[in-house]
Amino acid sequence: MANHGLELEDDDQEAVGRRYSPSSAPKSHSDGDRKLRFYGHGMPYLKDLEVKGHLIVIEGPDASGRSTHTQSIQAKLEADGHAVLGTGLKRSELISEGIIEAKGNLGVGKRTLSLFYAADFADQLENKIIPALEAGYVVLADRYIYTLIARNNVRGIERRWSRSLFGFTPVPDLIFYLDVKPEELVHRVFQKNSILDYYESGMDIGISDDMYKSFVIYQARMAKEFEKMKKLFGLQFIDGNRPIEQVNVELQARIDRFLNGSK
Amino acid sequence: MDKTTHAGDGEARSGRAARKGMRSRAKLSPRRASAVSDPSAGRLIAVEGVDGSGKSTQLHLLEQWLRHQNLKVFKTDWNSSETVKQITSRGKKKGLLTPTTFSLLHATDFADRYERNILPLLEAGYFVLADRYIFTAYARDIVRGCHPGWVKKIYSYALKPDLTFYFRVPVDIAVSRILMGRPKLKYYEAGMDMNLSNDPYESYRIFQGRIVEQYESLVESEGLVAIDANRGIEEQQVEVRERVMKLLGEKGIGAMKTEALQEYGKPRPRA
C-alpha cells in the first residue's frame, strides 16, 4: 500500500539511515507534470495527483533571517516570472487562532499541541499548498514539518510517532536550513524583539529558570535535531552566521540553479 | 535521556501484560521508563457503536452503578475538549475540513482529554468511562479515506481500554431511531463531505453503513466485546455489568458487592 519507497511508519526497521532525500526525486521531464510524492502514507484520496509546481522550504530558528529571505526570494522569483505562494507555520485561517489560545493555555499537553500544529498544517496543505503545486506555483514555505518534528523530539515525543504523523506531507524539492549558532542567535533575537519568546526558549520544558540559559540550551537541542534530520530528509545546511546579504545570494543562487535545471 | 519507549514497540515491560484478560494492555503508551505513576491503577472502559445504538444509555447506567458502589468514576465524551471545540466547530460550520485535517482535529481533541484527564485519572485509580474512544476515530477516518496505518499510529500512544463494548445493532434500526424525528443533520454528521448522496438522509444512511463495516472488522482485530443491542436495555445492562464484574475480579477491588449485580438482574414489578 502506498509504496513510494518512502515509508516512515515502519516499526520494525530503524527509519534513520534510510534517506528521504529530495535529490532522489525523479528528474522532472519537459513539461513538468509529476506525481506528488509523500513522506508516508500521504493522503490516499489524493493518490496519483499530478503537480507542475515546486515546493521549496526554508527552515531555521526564529531570528535566523528566514522571513527576510523568503520575502526577497519571493520578490526575485516573481520578477523572473514565477507564480509564487508564500506559506508558513501558523498561517491557516481555520486554526491559527486556536493555536495561539492553546499556547496561552499552559495546561495543554505536548502531544495535544503537536497534533494541533499538524492539523493546522494539514489545513494549509490541502487548501493552499497542494492546489498551488497543481497549478504550477513555486511554493515557498517559511518552515515546514522539520521544525515541528524537532520540537516534538526535544520534548520527548517518540521520533517514529512524529514521522508517521507527518506522513501526510509532500516531499519538498529543496529544503534549506539556516544554521545559526545559539550564541549568535540570542543577540539577533534581542536586536529584533528585546525579549525572548517563552516557547522559543523552551521554558515549557523546564530546562532552567534562567531564560537566557534556557534559550541557549533549547536552541542548541533544536539545532542538534536538525543535524540528525540532515541526511534523512536531505536538508541543505546554509551557514547563517554570515551577513544576511551573503546568505541571501547563496540561497537565491541555489534556488535559481534548481529551477533552471528542472525546466 | 530520551528514554521514552516507543508506542507500539510491543510487550509491556511489567508483568501486567501477562495477566489473563489483560491482552489489551500489551501495547502500552509511551512513558518515561523512570515514571513512578502507573495507569494500571485505574480501569478504562469504553463504549462504541453507531449513533442510535443505545451505547450512551448503557454507559450512563454503568456509571450510576459504579458510583453507587462508591467507586471513583470519571466519564469522558468524544469531541468534548473545551480548548479544541471552538476551532472544530468553526471549521465544521464552514464545511472546509478535508479528511486529514478533520482527522487531526479529532486527534487533537482526544489528546487534550487524554493528557489532561484520562491518563492522570487512570493513574489516580479512577474508573474512566469513555463514550467513544479511539475506535470511533479509526472507523470514521478510515471511511473518510485516511490511511488505516496512519490513523492507528496517531492514536498508538493511548492505552487500549480494559474493556470496549461494541453495541451491535442493524444499521437500519439505528438510522431510523436517529432519523425518526427528521432532525436537521449537520454537514459532517451526515457525511456530506464524502459526496455519497445529495440527500443528507440518504448520505447519513450510507455513511453509517460504512462505519458499521469498520466496527465489525475491529471487533475481531481489536477484541471489542460485541453486545447485541437489539435486546431490551436492562438485558443488555446485565451483560455489561457481568463483564465489568469479571474485570473487577481480576483486579481484585474488594469494594464491589456482587448483590448489586444480582439485584439488577431480578425481574421487577412493572409500573
Side-chain angles (χ1 to χ4, degrees), chain A residues 212-229:
Chain A
Y212 174 82
K213 254 189 220 163
S214 183
F215 178 91
V216 173
I217 296 171
Y218 177 74
Q219 291 297 337
R221 286 187 191 173
M222 287 290 285
K224 212 165 145 192
E225 292 299 333
F226 274 98
E227 188 66 48
K228 283 179 193 161
M229 287 189 282

Side-chain angles (χ1 to χ4, degrees), chain A residues 47 50 95 103 143 155 173 189 202 211 261:
Chain A
K47 222 177 119 222
E50 303 225 318
I95 302 159
K103 266 198 171 187
R143 302 222 251 211
R155 284 168 177 79
D173 296 290
V189 172
M211 211 159 175

Side-chain angles (χ1 to χ4, degrees), chain A residues 35-53:
Chain A
K35 265 189 198 167
L36 190 60
R37 299 188 313 141
F38 291 97
Y39 274 123
H41 290 307
M43 301 178 178
Y45 46 93
L46 295 183
K47 222 177 119 222
D48 299 333
L49 190 77
E50 303 225 318
V51 293
K52 293 191 186 72

Side-chain angles (χ1 to χ4, degrees), chain B residues 160-173:
Chain B
K160 295 287 173 69
D162 295 289
L163 254 181
T164 305
F165 294 107
Y166 167 56
F167 292 89
R168 180 184 273 154
V169 62
V171 67
D172 301 346
I173 293 180

Side-chain angles (χ1 to χ4, degrees), chain A residues 24 33 132-133 150 177 196 208:
Chain A
S24 68
D33 274 31
L133 289 173
Y177 173 70
L196 297 169
S208 165

Side-chain angles (χ1 to χ4, degrees), chain A residues 164-214:
Chain A
S164 172
L165 170 63
F166 289 106
F168 67 86
T169 57
V171 180
D173 296 290
L174 282 179
I175 313 157
F176 298 106
Y177 173 70
L178 298 171
D179 191 16
V180 183
K181 286 194 210 98
E183 295 78 11
E184 164 70 18
L185 200 62
V186 77
H187 294 297
R188 294 197 188 174
V189 172
F190 280 130
Q191 276 165 23
K192 195 172 139 196
N193 293 327
S194 79
I195 55 156
L196 297 169
D197 177 80
Y198 185 85
Y199 279 90
E200 290 297 317
S201 307
M203 289 301 281
D204 60 310
I205 48 179
I207 300 167
S208 165
D209 287 342
D210 182 309
M211 211 159 175
Y212 174 82
K213 254 189 220 163
S214 183

Side-chain angles (χ1 to χ4, degrees), chain A residues 4-16:
Chain A
H4 306 283
L6 285 165
E7 297 296 297
L8 293 179
E9 285 77 358
D10 201 340
D11 264 331
D12 302 313
Q13 293 175 43
E14 188 50 66
V16 183

